[in-house]
Amino acid sequence: MNLRAWQAGCVGALALLAGTCQAAEILRYVLMTSAGHVAGEQVVEHGDDGRTRVRYVFKDNGRGPELEETIRRAPDGTLAEYEVKGQATMGGPVSERFTRSGDQAQWQTLADAGRASVTGAALYVPRDGSLEPVSASIAAAAARPDGRLPLLPSGTLTQRKVDEVEVARADGSRQTVQLLVQTGLWLTPLYHWATTGPRPRLFASIYPGWFQGIEAGWEGNLKLLATRQNAAAGLLLNQTAAQLQKPLPGLTVIRNARVFDSVRARLNPPSDVHVLRERITAVLPAGAPVPGGATQIDAAGRVMLPGLFDMHGHVDRWDGALNLAAGVTTVRDMGSDNAELQQIIDEAAAGKLLMPHIVPAGFLEGRSAFSSRLGRVIETLDEAKTAVDWYAQHGYRQIKIYNSFPREHLRETVAHAHRRGLRVSGHVPAFMRAQDVVAMGFDEVQHINQLMLNFLVKPGTDTRTLERFYLPAEKLARFDLRSKAARDFVALLKKHRTVIDPTLATFDFLKQRDGEVPAPYADVMPHLPPNVQRNYLSGGMKIADDATAARYRASYNTMVAFVGLAYRAGIPIVAGTDALAGFTLHSELALYVKAGLTPAQALQVATLNGARYTGTLHERGSIQPGKLADLVLVDGDPTRDIADLRKVSLVITQGKLIRPADVHRALGVQPFVADTHWLEATIFQPDQPERR
């Protein structure tokens, strides 16, 4: 019996919970945003036939998956059979099946297929699953004496217990739950709360700042669990920061570096750069005398860039390592849970995290069925002004308006933010066009789709729904960028000096079909662990045939071309990602080159423009005496070939030295720089004889 037939006979989970339908065991999880808003549920039926049937729904921000799973576990707790069907976050189909018979395993998804001969326990990792496969992984790993479990298609899961706490519910019942950390599934550790005993199951999953799911009836314990989880994760984060960054005491001289002049977008002759206590103190011609007692690093002619800016991040405590390894030394956070972000900023300032500088933007949304609940959600103008005031008081430099913000309050909210000295940017609220928000005072617009919808929406178009993705994908293929509408819009942006944050790399998903390697990660994928590679093979959009695929590709090319058109017209661009930390920024800059910028101009966007539009130009964005020593050494020459930007060999920021190869190896990523030992061969400590 499949889940659909079961639901037809028992009208939904409520009937089951009420006892009007017989089932062996029903377990319900409540799924919420980090702000505590209920956004879905997972209902698990452990049937008398040995099969588990799951219904999973999570809807937030006008999108989300709907999945139905059927699972049969093997005696060792791994998956013997697994099937899922449903809808992905962006509306595309989900269909996946796995079976294991004896030593033979095979799987089929919309993106890949495979088979393997297996001896002993091995856990299949679904590509598009609910929380129930996580529960299976917990039990199967717990049954292994060393907590290590081979994975299919590849890899090894390692699980260990890091905390334990007693929880209670309103009816007075109590139980003990344990916090488990799993590695081997993703680039960073994953934390889950589980029951105790010989066959533990998932109790709660908390992704700080984003998502939380817990067994129904126990929701009152989420704050306790989140606090304990943050503390446990903090210990590992502190250890990671200590291992992967090295303090630079006293004066350090980086010799013989070809310094990128971000103001003029060109490489200067080789120079020696002096760094003292996090600041640049001098930039001298290469070969100038080096003061006694200085630590020396020979750049050996490598290109030195100012630290890169990612102008569209959503920061979590784990992505700092990936950003820094990519040369990203400043991230503008464009919307996170406020309490979580404040904690991250405090921990980073105390040196407890491996983290770039953070420039926060305050998230401001209107209340609706489609609301994204990051930051503040408002209904009235007074609430909007109060939220703006809070952000101004807590060091935020700008406000980000989102899809459901009420149009009637927009103009005055923008004006109030400007009076408080804050920039204003964001999505275009529903039933408006980009030209409307520019006229109302937006300083910046996020995302290429929000800009291009200006030519496509009608008065009744609700861009809080998936229409904000499907409409550009369907309609832009034939849009003429030479048209009067396009020329007028570009002129309006230029007149108001409106900045655009295109996030082109992120929107590659509009044209990606299941099974295709996403273009922005094509040269990154071979460096990633196999299970991580597999996660990127899902397109997510409904692309049913070759004609649709061709149309969506052409539409995406129009978006890329628009960015080049805007740049040539003098409209400022900032480089943001809204995707996988670090790697995606390099891809974003490569797309700017595809749009017509030179590699040097793209680097200027990611350095000088980043500093200018975060209000940090006085201390970042260029390599000059007095500015912060946010410095990036690159093998090759990214001013000629932007692809060389992936070859970051050394990063200096916040008075510390970071070698990306070490970071990547710690995360299971194959380094991008072949020679990973050059630093040891070229660094000279003060007590060593000076070398020339």
Side-chain angles (χ1 to χ4, degrees):
M1 180 179 69
N2 64 30
L3 183 62
R4 196 181 303 277
W6 165 70
Q7 286 178 319
C10 306
V11 186
L14 293 179
L16 284 163
L17 293 171
T20 58
C21 178
Q22 296 300 312
E25 180 186 357
I26 300 297
L27 184 62
R28 179 172 175 262
Y29 293 84
V30 179
L31 310 180
M32 292 177 278
T33 67
S34 62
H37 172 75
V38 176
E41 68 173 2
Q42 174 174 290
V43 180
V44 182
E45 176 207 9
H46 298 294
D48 292 333
D49 60 356
R51 285 175 166 77
T52 299
R53 296 170 177 87
V54 183
R55 180 175 182 271
Y56 179 96
V57 178
F58 183 79
K59 296 291 183 183
D60 183 47
N61 190 14
R63 59 194 178 193
E66 299 181 25
L67 306 173
E68 294 181 356
E69 292 172 321
T70 303
I71 301 170
R72 182 173 67 84
R73 294 197 197 182
D76 61 12
T78 62
L79 305 182
E81 295 179 14
Y82 176 83
E83 184 173 13
V84 61
K85 292 186 178 296
Q87 174 181 296
T89 297
M90 295 298 178
V94 171
S95 180
E96 180 172 2
R97 180 171 175 77
F98 166 82
T99 58
R100 177 176 176 180
S101 178
D103 291 343
Q104 298 303 308
Q106 59 183 357
W107 57 92
Q108 175 79 50
T109 78
L110 295 175
D112 68 338
R115 61 177 61 241
S117 295
V118 188
T119 301
L123 180 72
Y124 177 70
V125 182
R127 293 181 61 256
D128 297 290
S130 71
L131 294 176
E132 188 58 21
V134 175
S135 200
S137 74
I138 288 171
R144 308 276 291 183
D146 59 358
R148 293 174 59 84
L149 181 65
L151 298 175
L152 289 170
S154 64
T156 301
L157 179 148
T158 300
Q159 176 174 287
R160 61 188 177 91
K161 176 180 172 181
V162 293
D163 196 9
E164 185 176 278
V165 66
E166 186 178 66
V167 293
R169 59 189 298 172
D171 63 5
S173 56
R174 310 179 74 87
Q175 65 173 312
T176 298
V177 295
Q178 58 181 328
L179 179 61
L180 304 173
V181 57
Q182 294 183 338
T183 56
L185 291 169
W186 184 240
L187 296 173
T188 56
L190 302 177
Y191 288 83
H192 301 290
W193 289 95
T195 59
T196 55
R199 292 183 64 84
R201 68 167 184 265
L202 180 71
F203 177 73
S205 274
I206 301 172
Y207 293 84
W210 295 100
F211 168 89
Q212 44 193 3
I214 191 169
E215 286 187 24
W218 300 87
E219 297 93 321
N221 296 280
L222 277 168
K223 184 175 181 180
L224 169 65
L225 297 181
T227 300
R228 299 287 287 252
Q229 180 174 317
N230 273 342
L235 294 175
L236 182 55
L237 285 158
N238 295 348
Q239 294 169 6
T240 302
Q243 292 168 358
L244 295 177
Q245 56 187 0
K246 176 182 177 181
L248 285 177
L251 177 66
T252 299
V253 179
I254 303 98
R255 294 168 32 200
N256 194 27
R258 292 184 291 161
V259 173
F260 177 65
D261 181 344
S262 60
V263 177
R264 297 172 180 81
R266 70 184 187 192
L267 273 185
N268 285 337
S271 301
D272 292 348
V273 179
H274 293 223
V275 175
L276 178 65
R277 297 185 183 90
E278 305 183 24
R279 297 257 172 199
I280 300 167
T281 58
V283 180
L284 303 173
V290 176
T295 297
Q296 300 180 47
I297 298 173
D298 186 359
R302 288 176 172 82
V303 170
M304 177 183 284
L305 304 173
L308 304 175
F309 283 71
D310 182 347
M311 295 290 279
H312 199 124
H314 294 279
V315 175
D316 69 38
R317 299 164 90 200
W318 291 100
D319 63 16
L322 284 174
N323 270 318
L324 290 171
V328 176
T329 59
T330 301
V331 174
R332 183 177 65 174
D333 184 274
M334 293 304 293
S336 293
D337 176 86
N338 289 330
E340 177 71 12
L341 182 61
Q342 290 294 310
Q343 179 183 350
I344 290 172
I345 292 172
D346 289 342
E347 290 178 340
K352 296 180 179 180
L353 301 179
L354 196 62
M355 184 66 62
H357 306 287
I358 298 172
V359 178
F363 192 87
L364 199 52
E365 170 70 305
R367 188 166 283 108
S368 80
F370 300 98
S371 297
S372 177
R373 287 170 171 80
L374 299 173
R376 294 293 188 94
V377 180
I378 63 93
E379 284 185 307
T380 69
L381 179 58
D382 284 344
E383 289 176 338
K385 288 183 175 181
T386 298
V388 169
D389 291 341
W390 188 91
Y391 286 126
Q393 292 158 1
H394 285 79
Y396 290 68
R397 295 179 181 268
Q398 73 180 61
I399 298 298
K400 179 185 177 183
I401 304 289
Y402 211 63
N403 299 328
S404 293
F405 194 88
R407 177 174 184 166
E408 63 272 21
H409 302 324
L410 186 58
R411 187 182 298 276
E412 180 53 32
T413 300
V414 172
H416 184 68
H418 284 160
R419 287 192 292 268
R420 294 303 308 261
L422 303 179
R423 298 178 73 250
V424 178
S425 72
H427 290 205
V428 177
F431 312 113
M432 300 181 72
R433 293 191 291 173
Q435 64 189 47
D436 300 326
V437 300
V438 170
M440 287 187 180
F442 267 39
D443 301 292
E444 182 179 331
V445 178
Q446 266 70 53
H447 301 307
I448 189 63
N449 71 319
Q450 297 287 327
L451 289 160
M452 303 305 285
L453 283 166
N454 190 74
F455 310 117
L456 307 175
V457 296
K458 297 178 180 178
T461 304
D462 191 346
T463 53
R464 297 172 298 181
T465 69
L466 292 178
E467 278 291 279
R468 67 185 186 268
F469 307 116
Y470 281 95
L471 194 56
E474 286 284 348
K475 300 296 185 182
L476 286 176
R478 297 183 179 179
F479 182 74
D480 185 0
L481 291 177
R482 298 167 298 180
S483 65
K484 184 177 185 301
R487 294 197 309 271
D488 289 348
F489 183 50
V490 169
L492 179 71
L493 294 171
K494 185 174 182 180
K495 175 184 176 182
H496 288 268
R497 294 181 294 224
T498 308
V499 179
I500 62 175
D501 168 22
T503 63
L504 284 175
T506 298
F507 280 86
D508 180 83
F509 81 86
L510 292 179
K511 65 179 178 63
Q512 185 193 355
R513 303 181 79 171
D514 286 318
E516 292 180 350
V517 175
Y521 303 117
D523 58 348
V524 174
M525 291 277 273
H527 294 258
L528 301 179
N531 275 330
V532 177
Q533 292 185 37
R534 192 165 176 256
N535 285 337
Y536 282 94
L537 296 178
S538 291
M541 294 282 284
K542 292 183 286 187
I543 304 178
D545 51 47
D546 291 343
T548 302
R551 186 165 64 253
Y552 285 16
R553 282 196 302 271
S555 293
Y556 182 73
N557 289 338
T558 300
M559 297 180 187
V560 175
F562 180 83
V563 172
L565 174 68
Y567 181 84
R568 290 187 293 275
I571 295 167
I573 296 171
V574 293
T577 59
D578 198 20
L580 179 64
F583 300 124
T584 310
L585 185 71
H586 300 161
S587 301
E588 183 75 8
L589 299 184
L591 283 164
Y592 296 168
V593 173
K594 181 179 179 181
L597 282 69
T598 67
Q601 288 170 335
L603 291 170
Q604 185 182 53
V605 166
T607 54
L608 195 71
N609 279 14
R612 177 174 287 128
Y613 297 109
T614 56
T616 60
L617 191 58
H618 61 289
E619 62 180 12
R620 302 175 211 172
S622 60
I623 298 174
Q624 295 175 291
K627 291 198 172 185
L628 291 176
D630 291 342
L631 307 173
V632 179
L633 286 179
V634 181
D635 288 9
D637 185 354
T639 68
R640 294 182 178 272
D641 183 355
I642 198 66
D644 280 350
L645 188 57
R646 296 213 185 272
K647 302 174 186 176
V648 177
S649 57
L650 182 68
V651 176
I652 293 174
T653 184
Q654 302 168 64
K656 297 180 177 65
L657 181 150
I658 298 152
R659 191 167 66 178
D662 292 342
V663 175
H664 286 146
R665 277 191 287 266
L667 300 177
V669 176
Q670 180 183 340
F672 290 80
V673 178
D675 178 9
T676 60
H677 300 289
W678 71 270
L679 182 61
E680 290 89 339
T682 61
I683 188 166
F684 312 122
Q685 300 296 336
D687 58 350
Q688 293 179 303
E690 181 178 329
R691 302 187 193 180
R692 280 293 179 193

